[in-house]
Coordinates of all heavy atoms in Angstrom, one line a residue:
M1 N 12.7 -10.3 67.7 CA 13.0 -10.4 66.3 C 13.0 -9.0 65.6 O 12.1 -8.2 65.9 CB 11.9 -11.3 65.6 CG 12.1 -11.5 64.2 SD 10.8 -12.4 63.4 CE 11.2 -14.1 64.0
A2 N 13.9 -8.7 64.8 CA 14.0 -7.4 64.1 C 13.0 -7.3 63.0 O 12.7 -8.3 62.3 CB 15.4 -7.2 63.6
H3 N 12.5 -6.1 62.8 CA 11.6 -5.8 61.8 C 12.3 -5.7 60.4 O 13.3 -5.0 60.3 CB 10.8 -4.5 62.0 CG 10.0 -4.1 60.9 ND1 8.8 -4.8 60.5 CD2 10.1 -3.0 60.1 CE1 8.3 -4.2 59.5 NE2 9.0 -3.1 59.2
R4 N 11.8 -6.5 59.4 CA 12.4 -6.4 58.1 C 11.2 -6.1 57.1 O 10.1 -6.6 57.3 CB 13.0 -7.7 57.7 CG 14.3 -8.0 58.5 CD 15.0 -9.2 57.9 NE 14.0 -10.3 57.8 CZ 14.3 -11.4 57.0 NH1 15.4 -11.5 56.4 NH2 13.4 -12.3 56.9
D5 N 11.6 -5.3 56.1 CA 10.6 -5.1 55.0 C 10.5 -6.3 54.1 O 11.6 -6.9 53.9 CB 10.9 -3.8 54.3 CG 10.7 -2.6 55.1 OD1 9.8 -2.6 56.0 OD2 11.4 -1.5 54.9
P6 N 9.4 -6.5 53.4 CA 9.3 -7.6 52.5 C 10.3 -7.3 51.3 O 10.5 -6.2 50.9 CB 7.9 -7.5 52.0 CG 7.2 -6.8 53.1 CD 8.1 -5.9 53.7
P7 N 10.9 -8.4 50.8 CA 11.9 -8.2 49.7 C 11.2 -8.0 48.3 O 10.1 -8.3 48.1 CB 12.6 -9.5 49.7 CG 11.6 -10.5 50.2 CD 10.8 -9.7 51.2
G8 N 12.0 -7.4 47.4 CA 11.6 -7.2 46.0 C 10.7 -6.1 45.8 O 10.3 -5.3 46.6
I9 N 10.3 -5.9 44.5 CA 9.4 -4.8 44.1 C 8.0 -5.1 44.4 O 7.2 -4.2 44.4 CB 9.5 -4.6 42.6 CG1 10.5 -5.4 41.9 CG2 9.8 -3.1 42.3 CD1 10.6 -5.2 40.4
I10 N 7.7 -6.4 44.6 CA 6.3 -6.7 44.9 C 5.9 -6.4 46.4 O 4.8 -6.5 46.7 CB 6.0 -8.2 44.5 CG1 6.4 -8.4 43.1 CG2 4.6 -8.6 44.8 CD1 6.3 -9.8 42.6
A11 N 6.9 -6.1 47.2 CA 6.7 -5.9 48.6 C 5.5 -5.0 49.0 O 4.8 -5.3 49.9 CB 8.0 -5.4 49.2
P12 N 5.3 -3.9 48.4 CA 4.2 -3.0 48.8 C 2.8 -3.7 48.6 O 1.9 -3.3 49.2 CB 4.3 -1.8 47.9 CG 5.7 -1.7 47.5 CD 6.1 -3.2 47.4
H13 N 2.7 -4.7 47.8 CA 1.4 -5.4 47.5 C 1.1 -6.4 48.6 O 0.0 -6.9 48.5 CB 1.4 -5.9 46.1 CG 1.7 -4.9 45.1 ND1 0.7 -4.0 44.8 CD2 2.7 -4.7 44.3 CE1 1.2 -3.2 43.8 NE2 2.4 -3.6 43.5
I14 N 2.1 -6.8 49.4 CA 1.8 -7.8 50.4 C 1.3 -7.1 51.7 O 2.0 -6.2 52.1 CB 3.1 -8.6 50.7 CG1 3.6 -9.3 49.5 CG2 2.8 -9.7 51.8 CD1 5.0 -9.9 49.7
P15 N 0.2 -7.5 52.2 CA -0.2 -6.8 53.5 C 0.8 -7.1 54.6 O 1.4 -8.2 54.7 CB -1.5 -7.5 53.8 CG -2.0 -8.1 52.5 CD -0.8 -8.4 51.7
A16 N 1.1 -6.1 55.3 CA 2.2 -6.1 56.3 C 1.9 -7.2 57.4 O 2.8 -7.9 57.8 CB 2.4 -4.8 57.0
D17 N 0.7 -7.2 57.9 CA 0.4 -8.2 58.9 C 0.5 -9.7 58.4 O 1.0 -10.5 59.1 CB -1.0 -8.0 59.5 CG -2.1 -8.1 58.5 OD1 -1.8 -7.9 57.3 OD2 -3.3 -8.3 58.9
A18 N 0.2 -9.9 57.2 CA 0.3 -11.3 56.6 C 1.8 -11.6 56.5 O 2.2 -12.7 56.8 CB -0.4 -11.3 55.3
Y19 N 2.6 -10.7 56.1 CA 4.0 -10.9 55.9 C 4.7 -11.2 57.3 O 5.5 -12.1 57.4 CB 4.7 -9.8 55.2 CG 6.2 -10.0 55.0 CD1 6.6 -10.8 54.0 CD2 7.1 -9.4 55.8 CE1 8.0 -11.1 53.8 CE2 8.5 -9.7 55.6 CZ 8.9 -10.5 54.6 OH 10.2 -10.7 54.4
R20 N 4.3 -10.4 58.3 CA 4.9 -10.5 59.6 C 4.5 -11.8 60.2 O 5.2 -12.5 60.9 CB 4.6 -9.3 60.5 CG 5.4 -8.1 60.0 CD 5.3 -7.0 61.1 NE 5.9 -5.8 60.5 CZ 5.2 -4.8 59.9 NH1 3.9 -4.8 59.9 NH2 5.9 -3.7 59.4
R21 N 3.2 -12.2 60.0 CA 2.7 -13.5 60.6 C 3.4 -14.7 59.9 O 3.8 -15.6 60.6 CB 1.2 -13.6 60.3 CG 0.6 -14.8 60.9 CD -0.9 -14.9 60.8 NE -1.5 -13.6 60.3 CZ -2.2 -13.5 59.2 NH1 -2.6 -14.6 58.5 NH2 -2.7 -12.4 58.7
A22 N 3.7 -14.6 58.6 CA 4.4 -15.7 57.9 C 5.8 -15.7 58.3 O 6.4 -16.8 58.5 CB 4.3 -15.4 56.4
E23 N 6.4 -14.6 58.6 CA 7.8 -14.5 59.0 C 7.9 -15.1 60.4 O 8.9 -15.8 60.7 CB 8.3 -13.1 59.0 CG 9.8 -12.9 59.2 CD 10.2 -11.5 59.1 OE1 9.4 -10.6 59.5 OE2 11.3 -11.2 58.6
A24 N 6.9 -14.8 61.3 CA 7.0 -15.3 62.7 C 6.8 -16.8 62.7 O 7.4 -17.5 63.5 CB 6.0 -14.6 63.5
T25 N 5.9 -17.3 61.9 CA 5.5 -18.8 62.0 C 6.4 -19.6 61.1 O 6.4 -20.8 61.2 CB 4.1 -19.0 61.6 OG1 3.8 -18.5 60.3 CG2 3.2 -18.3 62.6
G26 N 7.1 -19.0 60.1 CA 7.9 -19.7 59.2 C 7.2 -20.2 58.0 O 7.7 -21.0 57.2
Q27 N 6.0 -19.8 57.8 CA 5.2 -20.2 56.7 C 5.7 -19.5 55.4 O 6.1 -18.3 55.5 CB 3.7 -20.0 56.9 CG 3.1 -20.8 57.9 CD 1.6 -20.4 58.1 OE1 1.2 -19.3 57.7 NE2 0.8 -21.3 58.6
P28 N 5.6 -20.1 54.3 CA 6.1 -19.4 53.1 C 5.0 -18.4 52.6 O 3.8 -18.6 52.9 CB 6.2 -20.5 52.0 CG 5.3 -21.6 52.5 CD 5.3 -21.5 54.0
V29 N 5.5 -17.3 52.0 CA 4.6 -16.3 51.5 C 4.4 -16.7 50.0 O 5.4 -16.7 49.2 CB 5.1 -14.9 51.6 CG1 4.2 -13.9 51.0 CG2 5.3 -14.6 53.1
V30 N 3.2 -16.9 49.6 CA 2.9 -17.2 48.2 C 2.4 -15.9 47.5 O 1.4 -15.3 47.9 CB 1.8 -18.3 48.1 CG1 1.5 -18.6 46.6 CG2 2.3 -19.6 48.8
I31 N 3.1 -15.6 46.5 CA 2.7 -14.4 45.7 C 2.3 -14.8 44.3 O 3.0 -15.5 43.6 CB 3.9 -13.4 45.5 CG1 4.4 -13.0 46.9 CG2 3.6 -12.2 44.7 CD1 5.7 -12.3 46.9
V32 N 1.0 -14.5 44.0 CA 0.5 -14.8 42.7 C 0.5 -13.6 41.8 O 0.0 -12.6 42.1 CB -1.0 -15.3 42.9 CG1 -1.6 -15.7 41.5 CG2 -1.0 -16.5 43.8
V33 N 1.2 -13.7 40.7 CA 1.3 -12.6 39.7 C 0.5 -13.1 38.5 O 0.8 -14.1 37.9 CB 2.8 -12.3 39.4 CG1 2.8 -11.2 38.4 CG2 3.5 -12.0 40.6
H34 N -0.5 -12.3 38.1 CA -1.3 -12.6 36.9 C -0.6 -12.0 35.7 O -0.4 -10.8 35.7 CB -2.7 -12.1 37.1 CG -3.4 -12.7 38.2 ND1 -4.0 -14.0 38.1 CD2 -3.7 -12.3 39.5 CE1 -4.5 -14.3 39.3 NE2 -4.4 -13.3 40.1
T35 N -0.3 -12.8 34.8 CA 0.3 -12.3 33.5 C -0.5 -12.9 32.4 O -1.1 -14.0 32.5 CB 1.8 -12.7 33.4 OG1 1.9 -14.1 33.4 CG2 2.6 -12.1 34.5
T36 N -0.4 -12.3 31.3 CA -1.1 -12.8 30.1 C 0.0 -13.3 29.1 O 0.9 -12.5 28.8 CB -1.9 -11.7 29.4 OG1 -1.1 -10.6 29.1 CG2 -3.1 -11.3 30.2
D37 N 0.0 -14.5 28.7 CA 1.0 -15.0 27.8 C 0.6 -14.6 26.4 O -0.6 -14.7 26.0 CB 1.0 -16.5 27.9 CG 1.6 -17.0 29.2 OD1 2.4 -16.3 29.8 OD2 1.2 -18.1 29.6
Q38 N 1.6 -14.0 25.7 CA 1.3 -13.6 24.3 C 1.3 -14.8 23.4 O 2.2 -15.6 23.4 CB 2.3 -12.5 23.9 CG 2.1 -11.2 24.6 CD 3.1 -10.2 24.1 OE1 3.9 -10.4 23.2 NE2 3.0 -9.0 24.6
E39 N 0.3 -14.8 22.5 CA 0.3 -15.9 21.5 C 1.0 -15.4 20.3 O 0.6 -14.4 19.7 CB -1.2 -16.2 21.1 CG -2.0 -16.7 22.3 CD -1.6 -18.1 22.7 OE1 -1.2 -18.9 21.8 OE2 -1.8 -18.5 23.9
G40 N 2.1 -16.0 19.9 CA 2.8 -15.6 18.7 C 3.7 -14.4 19.0 O 4.0 -14.0 20.1
R41 N 4.1 -13.8 17.9 CA 5.0 -12.6 18.0 C 4.2 -11.3 17.9 O 3.1 -11.3 17.2 CB 6.0 -12.6 16.8 CG 6.8 -13.9 16.8 CD 7.7 -13.9 15.6 NE 8.8 -12.9 15.8 CZ 9.7 -12.8 14.9 NH1 9.7 -13.4 13.8 NH2 10.7 -11.9 15.1
P42 N 4.6 -10.3 18.5 CA 3.9 -9.0 18.5 C 4.0 -8.4 17.1 O 4.8 -8.8 16.2 CB 4.7 -8.1 19.5 CG 5.7 -8.9 20.1 CD 5.8 -10.2 19.4
L43 N 3.1 -7.5 16.8 CA 2.9 -6.9 15.5 C 4.2 -6.1 15.1 O 4.5 -6.1 13.9 CB 1.7 -5.9 15.5 CG 1.4 -5.3 14.1 CD1 1.1 -6.3 13.1 CD2 0.3 -4.3 14.3
R44 N 4.9 -5.5 16.0 CA 6.1 -4.7 15.7 C 7.2 -5.6 15.0 O 8.0 -5.1 14.3 CB 6.6 -3.9 16.8 CG 7.2 -4.8 17.9 CD 7.8 -3.9 19.0 NE 8.3 -4.7 20.1 CZ 7.7 -5.0 21.2 NH1 6.4 -4.6 21.3 NH2 8.2 -5.7 22.1
H45 N 7.2 -6.9 15.3 CA 8.2 -7.7 14.7 C 8.0 -7.9 13.2 O 8.9 -8.2 12.5 CB 8.2 -9.1 15.4 CG 8.8 -9.1 16.7 ND1 10.2 -9.1 16.9 CD2 8.3 -9.1 18.0 CE1 10.4 -9.1 18.2 NE2 9.3 -9.1 18.9
Y46 N 6.8 -7.7 12.8 CA 6.4 -7.8 11.4 C 6.4 -6.4 10.7 O 6.6 -6.3 9.5 CB 5.1 -8.5 11.2 CG 5.1 -9.9 11.7 CD1 4.4 -10.2 12.9 CD2 5.7 -10.9 11.1 CE1 4.4 -11.5 13.4 CE2 5.7 -12.2 11.5 CZ 5.1 -12.5 12.7 OH 5.1 -13.8 13.2
L47 N 6.1 -5.4 11.5 CA 5.8 -4.1 10.9 C 7.1 -3.4 10.5 O 7.2 -2.8 9.4 CB 5.1 -3.2 12.0 CG 4.6 -1.9 11.5 CD1 3.6 -2.1 10.4 CD2 4.0 -1.1 12.6
F48 N 8.2 -3.6 11.2 CA 9.5 -2.9 10.9 C 10.0 -3.5 9.5 O 10.4 -2.7 8.7 CB 10.5 -3.0 12.0 CG 10.2 -2.2 13.2 CD1 10.5 -2.6 14.5 CD2 9.6 -0.9 13.0 CE1 10.2 -1.9 15.6 CE2 9.3 -0.2 14.1 CZ 9.6 -0.6 15.4
P49 N 10.1 -4.8 9.3 CA 10.6 -5.3 8.0 C 9.7 -4.9 6.9 O 10.2 -4.6 5.8 CB 10.7 -6.8 8.2 CG 10.8 -7.0 9.7 CD 10.0 -5.9 10.3
L50 N 8.4 -4.9 7.1 CA 7.5 -4.5 6.0 C 7.7 -3.0 5.7 O 7.6 -2.6 4.5 CB 6.0 -4.8 6.4 CG 5.6 -6.2 6.4 CD1 4.2 -6.4 6.9 CD2 5.8 -6.8 5.0
A51 N 7.9 -2.2 6.7 CA 8.1 -0.7 6.4 C 9.4 -0.5 5.7 O 9.4 0.3 4.7 CB 8.1 0.0 7.8
I52 N 10.4 -1.2 6.0 CA 11.7 -1.1 5.3 C 11.6 -1.6 3.9 O 12.0 -1.0 2.9 CB 12.8 -1.9 6.1 CG1 13.1 -1.1 7.4 CG2 14.1 -2.0 5.2 CD1 14.0 -1.9 8.3
A53 N 10.9 -2.7 3.7 CA 10.7 -3.3 2.3 C 9.8 -2.3 1.5 O 10.1 -2.1 0.3 CB 10.0 -4.6 2.4
G54 N 8.8 -1.7 2.1 CA 7.9 -0.8 1.4 C 8.7 0.5 1.0 O 8.6 1.0 -0.1
A55 N 9.6 1.0 1.9 CA 10.4 2.1 1.5 C 11.4 1.8 0.4 O 11.6 2.6 -0.5 CB 11.1 2.6 2.8
A56 N 11.9 0.6 0.5 CA 12.9 0.2 -0.6 C 12.1 0.1 -2.0 O 12.6 0.5 -3.0 CB 13.5 -1.1 -0.3
A57 N 10.9 -0.5 -1.9 CA 10.1 -0.6 -3.2 C 9.8 0.8 -3.7 O 9.9 1.0 -4.9 CB 8.9 -1.4 -2.9
L58 N 9.3 1.7 -2.8 CA 9.0 3.0 -3.3 C 10.2 3.7 -3.9 O 10.1 4.5 -4.9 CB 8.4 3.8 -2.2 CG 6.9 3.5 -1.9 CD1 6.4 4.3 -0.7 CD2 6.0 3.7 -3.0
G59 N 11.4 3.5 -3.2 CA 12.6 4.1 -3.7 C 13.0 3.6 -5.1 O 13.4 4.3 -6.0
G60 N 12.8 2.3 -5.3 CA 13.1 1.7 -6.6 C 12.2 2.2 -7.7 O 12.6 2.5 -8.8
W61 N 10.9 2.3 -7.3 CA 9.9 2.9 -8.3 C 10.3 4.4 -8.6 O 10.1 4.8 -9.8 CB 8.5 2.8 -7.8 CG 7.9 1.5 -8.1 CD1 7.6 0.5 -7.1 CD2 7.6 0.9 -9.3 NE1 7.1 -0.6 -7.7 CE2 7.1 -0.4 -9.1 CE3 7.7 1.3 -10.6 CZ2 6.7 -1.3 -10.1 CZ3 7.3 0.4 -11.7 CH2 6.8 -0.8 -11.4
G62 N 10.8 5.1 -7.6 CA 11.2 6.5 -7.9 C 12.4 6.5 -8.8 O 12.5 7.4 -9.7
L63 N 13.3 5.6 -8.6 CA 14.5 5.5 -9.5 C 14.0 5.2 -11.0 O 14.5 5.8 -11.9 CB 15.5 4.5 -9.1 CG 16.3 4.9 -7.9 CD1 17.2 3.7 -7.4 CD2 17.2 6.1 -8.2
V64 N 13.1 4.3 -11.1 CA 12.6 3.9 -12.4 C 11.9 5.1 -13.1 O 12.1 5.4 -14.3 CB 11.6 2.7 -12.3 CG1 10.9 2.5 -13.6 CG2 12.4 1.5 -12.0
A65 N 11.1 5.9 -12.3 CA 10.4 7.0 -12.8 C 11.4 8.1 -13.2 O 11.2 8.8 -14.3 CB 9.4 7.6 -11.8
A66 N 12.4 8.3 -12.4 CA 13.5 9.3 -12.8 C 14.2 8.9 -14.0 O 14.5 9.8 -14.9 CB 14.4 9.5 -11.6
L67 N 14.5 7.6 -14.2 CA 15.2 7.2 -15.4 C 14.3 7.3 -16.6 O 14.8 7.8 -17.7 CB 15.6 5.7 -15.2 CG 16.4 5.1 -16.4 CD1 17.7 5.8 -16.6 CD2 16.6 3.6 -16.1
C68 N 13.0 7.0 -16.5 CA 12.1 7.2 -17.6 C 12.0 8.7 -18.0 O 12.0 9.0 -19.2 CB 10.7 6.7 -17.3 SG 10.7 4.9 -17.2
A69 N 12.0 9.6 -17.0 CA 11.9 11.0 -17.4 C 13.2 11.5 -18.0 O 13.2 12.3 -19.0 CB 11.6 11.8 -16.1
L70 N 14.3 10.9 -17.6 CA 15.6 11.3 -18.2 C 15.7 10.8 -19.6 O 16.1 11.6 -20.5 CB 16.7 10.8 -17.3 CG 18.2 11.1 -17.7 CD1 18.4 12.6 -17.6 CD2 19.2 10.4 -16.9
L71 N 15.3 9.6 -19.8 CA 15.3 9.1 -21.2 C 14.4 9.8 -22.1 O 14.7 10.0 -23.3 CB 15.0 7.6 -21.2 CG 16.2 6.7 -20.6 CD1 15.7 5.2 -20.5 CD2 17.4 6.8 -21.4
D72 N 13.2 10.2 -21.6 CA 12.2 10.9 -22.4 C 12.8 12.3 -22.8 O 12.7 12.7 -23.9 CB 11.0 11.1 -21.6 CG 9.9 11.8 -22.4 OD1 9.6 11.3 -23.5 OD2 9.2 12.7 -21.9
A73 N 13.4 12.9 -21.8 CA 14.1 14.2 -22.1 C 15.2 14.1 -23.1 O 15.3 14.9 -24.0 CB 14.6 14.9 -20.8
A74 N 16.0 13.0 -23.0 CA 17.1 12.8 -23.9 C 16.5 12.5 -25.3 O 17.1 13.0 -26.3 CB 18.0 11.6 -23.4
A75 N 15.4 11.7 -25.4 CA 14.9 11.4 -26.7 C 14.3 12.7 -27.4 O 14.5 12.9 -28.6 CB 13.8 10.4 -26.6
H76 N 13.6 13.6 -26.6 CA 13.1 14.8 -27.1 C 14.3 15.7 -27.6 O 14.2 16.4 -28.6 CB 12.3 15.5 -26.1 CG 10.9 14.9 -26.0 ND1 10.0 15.0 -27.0 CD2 10.3 14.3 -25.0 CE1 8.9 14.4 -26.6 NE2 9.0 13.9 -25.4
T77 N 15.3 15.8 -26.8 CA 16.5 16.6 -27.2 C 17.1 16.1 -28.5 O 17.5 16.9 -29.4 CB 17.5 16.6 -26.0 OG1 16.9 17.0 -24.8 CG2 18.7 17.4 -26.4
A78 N 17.3 14.8 -28.6 CA 17.9 14.2 -29.8 C 17.0 14.5 -31.0 O 17.5 14.8 -32.1 CB 18.1 12.7 -29.6
T79 N 15.6 14.4 -30.8 CA 14.7 14.7 -31.9 C 14.8 16.1 -32.4 O 14.8 16.4 -33.6 CB 13.3 14.4 -31.5 OG1 13.2 13.0 -31.1 CG2 12.3 14.6 -32.6
V80 N 14.9 17.1 -31.4 CA 15.0 18.5 -31.8 C 16.3 18.8 -32.5 O 16.3 19.5 -33.5 CB 14.8 19.3 -30.5 CG1 15.2 20.8 -30.7 CG2 13.4 19.3 -29.9
I81 N 17.4 18.2 -32.0 CA 18.7 18.4 -32.7 C 18.7 17.8 -34.1 O 19.2 18.5 -35.0 CB 19.8 17.8 -31.8 CG1 20.0 18.6 -30.5 CG2 21.1 17.7 -32.6 CD1 20.9 18.0 -29.5
A82 N 18.1 16.7 -34.2 CA 18.0 16.0 -35.6 C 17.2 16.8 -36.5 O 17.5 16.9 -37.7 CB 17.5 14.6 -35.4
Q83 N 16.1 17.4 -36.1 CA 15.2 18.2 -37.0 C 15.9 19.5 -37.4 O 15.8 20.0 -38.5 CB 13.9 18.5 -36.3 CG 13.0 17.3 -36.3 CD 11.7 17.6 -35.5 OE1 11.5 18.7 -35.0 NE2 10.8 16.7 -35.6
T84 N 16.6 20.1 -36.5 CA 17.3 21.4 -36.8 C 18.5 21.2 -37.6 O 18.9 22.1 -38.4 CB 17.6 22.2 -35.5 OG1 18.4 21.4 -34.7 CG2 16.3 22.6 -34.8
A85 N 19.2 20.1 -37.4 CA 20.5 19.9 -38.1 C 20.3 19.5 -39.5 O 21.2 19.8 -40.4 CB 21.3 18.9 -37.3
G86 N 19.3 18.8 -39.8 CA 19.1 18.3 -41.2 C 20.0 17.1 -41.5 O 20.4 16.4 -40.5
P87 N 20.3 16.9 -42.7 CA 21.2 15.7 -43.0 C 22.6 15.9 -42.5 O 23.2 17.0 -42.6 CB 21.2 15.6 -44.5 CG 20.6 16.9 -45.0 CD 19.9 17.6 -43.9
I88 N 23.2 14.9 -42.0 CA 24.6 14.9 -41.4 C 25.4 14.1 -42.3 O 25.1 12.9 -42.6 CB 24.6 14.4 -40.0 CG1 23.8 15.3 -39.1 CG2 26.1 14.3 -39.5 CD1 23.7 14.8 -37.7
G89 N 26.5 14.6 -42.8 CA 27.4 13.9 -43.7 C 28.8 13.8 -43.1 O 29.4 14.8 -42.6
I90 N 29.4 12.6 -43.1 CA 30.7 12.4 -42.7 C 31.4 11.5 -43.7 O 31.0 10.4 -44.0 CB 30.8 11.6 -41.3 CG1 30.1 12.5 -40.2 CG2 32.2 11.4 -40.9 CD1 29.9 11.8 -38.9
G91 N 32.5 12.0 -44.3 CA 33.3 11.2 -45.3 C 32.5 10.7 -46.5 O 32.8 9.6 -46.9
G92 N 31.6 11.5 -47.0 CA 30.9 11.2 -48.2 C 29.6 10.4 -47.9 O 28.8 10.1 -48.8
V93 N 29.4 10.0 -46.6 CA 28.1 9.2 -46.3 C 27.2 10.2 -45.6 O 27.6 10.9 -44.6 CB 28.4 8.1 -45.3 CG1 27.1 7.4 -44.9 CG2 29.4 7.1 -45.9
T94 N 26.0 10.4 -46.2 CA 25.1 11.3 -45.6 C 23.9 10.6 -45.0 O 23.3 9.7 -45.5 CB 24.5 12.2 -46.8 OG1 25.6 12.9 -47.4 CG2 23.6 13.3 -46.2
L95 N 23.6 11.0 -43.7 CA 22.5 10.4 -43.0 C 21.4 11.5 -42.8 O 21.7 12.6 -42.4 CB 23.0 9.9 -41.6 CG 24.0 8.8 -41.6 CD1 24.4 8.5 -40.2 CD2 23.4 7.5 -42.3
K96 N 20.2 11.1 -43.1 CA 19.1 12.0 -42.9 C 18.4 11.5 -41.6 O 17.8 10.4 -41.6 CB 18.1 12.0 -44.0 CG 17.1 13.0 -44.0 CD 16.3 13.0 -45.3 CE 15.5 14.3 -45.3 NZ 14.7 14.3 -46.6
L97 N 18.6 12.2 -40.5 CA 18.1 11.8 -39.2 C 16.6 11.9 -39.0 O 16.0 11.1 -38.4 CB 18.8 12.5 -38.1 CG 20.4 12.3 -38.1 CD1 21.0 13.2 -37.0 CD2 20.7 10.9 -37.9
A98 N 16.0 12.9 -39.6 CA 14.6 13.1 -39.5 C 14.0 13.7 -40.8 O 14.7 14.4 -41.5 CB 14.3 14.1 -38.3
H99 N 12.8 13.3 -41.0 CA 12.1 13.8 -42.2 C 11.5 15.2 -41.9 O 10.8 15.3 -40.9 CB 11.1 12.9 -42.7 CG 11.6 11.5 -43.1 ND1 12.3 11.3 -44.3 CD2 11.5 10.3 -42.5 CE1 12.6 10.1 -44.4 NE2 12.2 9.4 -43.3
P100 N 11.8 16.2 -42.7 CA 11.1 17.5 -42.4 C 9.6 17.4 -42.6 O 9.2 16.7 -43.6 CB 11.8 18.4 -43.3 CG 12.5 17.6 -44.4 CD 12.7 16.3 -43.8
K101 N 8.8 18.1 -41.9 CA 7.3 18.0 -42.0 C 6.8 18.7 -43.2 O 5.8 18.4 -43.7 CB 6.7 18.5 -40.7 CG 7.0 17.7 -39.5 CD 6.3 18.3 -38.3 CE 6.6 17.4 -37.0 NZ 6.0 17.9 -35.8
G102 N 7.5 19.8 -43.6 CA 7.0 20.6 -44.6 C 7.2 20.1 -46.0 O 6.6 20.6 -47.0
K103 N 8.0 19.1 -46.3 CA 8.3 18.7 -47.6 C 7.5 17.5 -48.1 O 7.0 16.6 -47.6 CB 9.8 18.3 -47.8 CG 10.6 19.6 -47.6 CD 12.1 19.2 -47.8 CE 13.0 20.4 -47.7 NZ 14.3 20.2 -47.8

C-alpha cells in the first residue's frame, strides 16, 4: 500500500500512526473540531452604522452652527450699515432704520 498524507488542513493534527492504522483497517477517522457558536451578531455589525449616523449628526450640527454664525454676522453687518446710513429715502418715503443712541 502506498503512503498517503492525511487530507485537508487538519492533517498535521492527526497522529500519523492513528491515521495509517485507520487507513489499513478501513476504520473512519473522526476529527472533532471545537468551535464556539456566537450568540447574536458581532459588535461591528452595530458599530459601523452607529459611527456613520454619529458622523452625519455631527456634520448636521456643524452646518447649523455655521449657518447661525453667518446669520449673526449678517445681522451685525446690517445693523452697522443702518446706523451709519441714517434715514433712507426712496421716492418721498423715508425709512429710519435705526434710532441713533445720542439723540
Side-chain angles (χ1 to χ4, degrees):
M1 183 183 287
H3 170 69
R4 291 186 312 162
D5 289 333
I9 358 177
I10 303 177
H13 301 289
I14 302 171
D17 59 339
Y19 182 79
R20 289 195 187 97
R21 186 175 350 124
E23 188 177 38
T25 60
Q27 292 177 339
V29 176
V30 177
I31 301 170
V32 178
V33 179
H34 297 284
T35 61
T36 57
D37 293 334
Q38 291 186 356
E39 299 287 330
R41 299 176 74 179
L43 182 62
R44 70 175 174 267
H45 286 280
Y46 299 106
L47 189 61
F48 289 144
L50 285 176
I52 291 171
L58 285 176
W61 279 110
L63 285 174
V64 168
L67 181 62
C68 289
L70 183 64
L71 289 176
D72 186 48
H76 283 292
T77 303
T79 303
V80 168
I81 289 173
Q83 284 178 354
T84 57
I88 297 177
I90 299 174
V93 177
T94 304
L95 296 174
K96 191 172 190 181
L97 299 176
H99 298 287
K101 293 181 181 178
K103 293 184 181 177

